[in-house]
Amino acid sequence: MNLILMGPPGAGKGTQAVLLVKQLQIPHISTGDMFRQAMQQGTELGLKAKGYMETGQLVPDEVTIGIVKERLKQTDCQKGFLLDGFPRTVVQAEALKGLLGELNKNLDAVLNIEVDRPNLIRRMAGRLVCRQCAATYHVEYNAPKQEGVCDVCGGEVYQRADDTGATVEKRLAVYDAQTAPLIGFYQKEGLLINILGNQKVEAVLQDILQSLGI
Ligand code: ADP
Ligand code: ADP
Ligand code: ZN
């Protein structure tokens, strides 16, 4: 299956993506994770993305589209893929459409996880991420067994710099202005599935699987 996971920052896209790809055996393509990894490694891509990410703005479309294009061409995407956090602008969605056409692929569904603002802010403020494997935790809802240590790989868990203070508000405003229009875009394409995100992780996953007929 060729899927997109959409939703505002903190909605639970990454959390659901990890569970879904395990079940569906398809690659998880998170542009946010790709950028964070590049920043950590100090690559050219990382340097390009850094300033935008730290201030809660979107990385320019041409840069983002470029990395997704390369990724989707890789052979493991032949069995399907789950895009998480891409597209985030109408320009990216149009580019993706063109690219999938070139690659002879179709989207099966766009899953839009809906969560109210107070909960989004709570989820972002408490989010912890593993530096090594990108596993996601929450100080309150899903804390690592040992404080500061990833359950999966033993790596160090940290709070993302963009999950604090004014950057959270900025990212929500950027979502409203640039990403929310994609809901209408994919509705018109007949691909949109709304998912109630204000539920326990397991209940959200069950709703997603059910909506996909799995
Ligand atoms: P969240 O999970 O909170 O929605 P992500 O990890 O997906 O955040 O993204 C973190 C940051 O990486 C974004 O604020 C943005 O700067 C950058 N980014 C990720 N995906 C994209 C994209 N598709 N287009 C532009 N910038 C992106
Ligand atoms: P996104 O990728 O959409 O930004 P994440 O999957 O990183 O969102 O989740 C944001 C935060 O909320 C994380 O700390 C995660 O552990 C937590 N979280 C995710 N889903 C739920 C849920 N259904 N209920 C409570 N907390 C959740
Ligand atoms: Zn880890």
Side-chain angles (χ1 to χ4, degrees):
M1 267 203 241
N2 300 336
L3 302 170
I4 292 177
L5 255 187
M6 235 172 59
K13 301 180 294 294
T15 300
Q16 294 299 324
V18 168
L19 301 170
L20 273 171
V21 299
K22 209 193 243 173
Q23 180 120 357
L24 300 174
Q25 292 290 306
I26 54 179
H28 173 197
I29 304 176
S30 159
T31 41
D33 286 350
M34 286 159 99
F35 287 138
R36 272 185 292 279
Q37 195 181 20
M39 266 167 59
Q40 222 163 293
Q41 294 169 346
T43 64
E44 200 181 320
L45 174 69
L47 291 175
K48 271 189 206 161
K50 196 171 192 281
Y52 297 102
M53 288 183 77
E54 284 175 352
T55 51
Q57 301 172 77
L58 295 183
V59 177
D61 283 334
E62 61 193 71
V63 175
T64 310
I65 291 164
I67 63 166
V68 172
K69 192 168 179 172
E70 287 316 305
R71 184 65 188 86
L72 284 177
K73 281 183 187 163
Q74 287 172 24
T75 49
D76 62 338
C77 292
Q78 272 162 9
K79 56 188 175 183
F81 55 80
L82 177 65
L83 284 167
D84 161 10
F86 181 95
R88 256 178 155 99
T89 65
V90 172
V91 171
Q92 291 179 13
E94 297 280 13
L96 177 65
K97 198 174 172 179
L99 174 63
L100 292 177
E102 280 170 37
L103 297 173
N104 242 321
K105 294 179 196 286
N106 276 313
L107 286 172
D108 292 293
V110 176
L111 301 155
N112 178 41
I113 306 180
E114 299 180 301
V115 174
D116 62 277
R117 284 296 143 114
N119 268 312
L120 288 177
I121 292 168
R122 232 170 273 143
R123 286 183 186 187
M124 276 189 268
R127 170 160 52 189
L128 298 170
V129 180
C130 173
R131 242 181 242 291
Q132 209 159 291
C133 77
T136 301
Y137 301 89
H138 191 281
V139 286
E140 204 178 317
Y141 309 130
N142 174 28
K145 291 196 183 77
Q146 193 186 332
E147 198 183 320
V149 180
C150 176
D151 294 353
V152 180
C153 78
E156 180 205 353
V157 301
Y158 74 107
Q159 184 180 39
R160 280 168 45 178
D162 63 345
D163 273 342
T164 56
T167 314
V168 166
E169 292 297 335
K170 173 72 182 164
R171 284 158 64 212
L172 288 168
V174 165
Y175 169 83
D176 288 338
Q178 304 194 59
T179 308
L182 291 180
I183 295 172
F185 180 96
Y186 284 118
Q187 197 151 29
K188 263 190 222 144
E189 304 255 318
L191 291 168
L192 191 78
I193 299 174
N194 287 317
I195 299 290
L196 183 62
N198 279 337
Q199 308 182 73
K200 292 236 157 77
V201 171
E202 192 54 34
V204 177
L205 178 67
Q206 286 315 316
D207 280 4
I208 291 175
L209 292 172
Q210 195 173 28
S211 76
L212 295 173
I214 296 165

